[in-house]
Amino acid sequence: MTERELISQKAQSFFEELWKRGDPWNIETSDFEQRRCARLLEILSPRRHAKALEIGCAAGAFTRLLAQVADRVVALDISPTAVACARETGACPESIEFRVANIIEYDPRAEGPWDLVVMSDMIYFLGWLYPFFDVAWLAMELFAATSVGGQLLLANCYGGTGDYLMRPSLIRTYRDLFVNVGYQVNAEEIFHGRKNGVEIEVLITLFEK
């Protein structure tokens, strides 16, 4: 087994273990998560998108909202349990297709170009699991697979000094990576909220090609 295959196996096992114990982030029940999803949708709402790709869809909470601003949504998650939950939770429009896939192994160009790409609270996991070259390569592939004038929405929580995956300097490094591959920043803000008694900030960046 190659190193890449070992990492992919580790990634799927990690997220599968989390989802087998239930929604690890309480996305469906958290007031903070509901408000954040509503804000992300509001940011995207001024435009209608023909085709959207959501990376790390979890149980589909935001995916179902995306259907309000996109004619077709392909939603990927590495966890089969998460995707099963997404397919079973509530009524989903026919315009949504949930798939089990590892974005590092997925070819976004094959079904592109995409008018919208969404990555919410997952790129720091890629940075933890994979070499930085792989994350940079993914950013280049996503840029190539985005239509001219298309958008990419990147949203990531900031963590404190103890949350080494979500340190602000790292989150901004990931954000800058997409600028370096060619995306232009269209809008940016920090969303503030409180979850499980902890104050949280989310860096939200809307890019355009």
Side-chain angles (χ1 to χ4, degrees), residues 6-193:
L6 286 170
I7 295 175
S8 295
Q9 186 180 72
K10 174 185 175 181
Q12 186 170 71
S13 296
F14 174 78
F15 288 104
E16 264 296 275
E17 286 302 314
L18 289 179
W19 277 99
K20 283 179 179 178
R21 297 195 294 268
D23 180 358
W25 296 281
N26 301 315
I27 299 172
E28 301 284 350
T29 58
S30 165
D31 176 69
F32 168 82
E33 296 294 350
Q34 296 300 310
R35 290 192 303 105
R36 176 167 67 161
C37 285
R39 180 56 188 149
L40 294 179
L41 182 66
E42 187 178 14
I43 290 170
L44 294 174
S45 291
R47 182 185 297 191
R48 184 75 189 175
H49 303 273
K51 189 164 60 173
L53 174 66
E54 183 184 14
I55 301 168
C57 66
F62 188 62
T63 318
R64 292 186 285 276
L65 295 178
L66 269 180
Q68 298 178 30
V69 296
D71 297 331
R72 181 190 175 211
V73 181
V74 175
L76 312 178
D77 200 278
I78 197 171
S79 166
T81 299
V83 170
C85 290
R87 290 170 176 163
E88 295 167 3
T89 303
C92 281
E94 293 183 358
S95 59
I96 297 176
E97 181 182 356
F98 291 106
R99 298 184 194 170
V100 177
N102 181 343
I103 187 58
I104 294 294
E105 299 172 352
Y106 176 77
D107 180 6
R109 300 197 202 198
E111 295 179 87
W114 302 94
D115 303 294
L116 173 64
V117 178
V118 175
M119 301 176 71
S120 181
D121 262 332
M122 56 80 58
I123 195 167
Y124 47 79
F125 285 115
L126 293 179
W128 168 55
L129 290 161
Y130 287 93
F132 189 76
F133 175 85
D134 288 341
V135 181
W137 183 262
L138 171 63
M140 290 189 290
E141 289 295 290
L142 290 176
F143 181 76
T146 301
S147 61
V148 176
Q151 297 181 319
L152 180 144
L153 181 66
L154 186 70
N156 288 287
C157 288
Y158 277 133
T161 55
D163 299 316
Y164 65 94
L165 292 184
M166 297 182 289
R167 288 183 178 177
S169 58
L170 288 176
I171 297 302
R172 289 199 171 273
T173 295
Y174 297 132
R175 175 259 192 206
D176 292 346
L177 180 59
F178 288 93
V179 173
N180 292 341
V181 300
Y183 286 105
Q184 301 294 315
V185 176
N186 182 288
E188 189 167 76
E189 65 180 64
I190 295 179
F191 177 83
H192 299 268

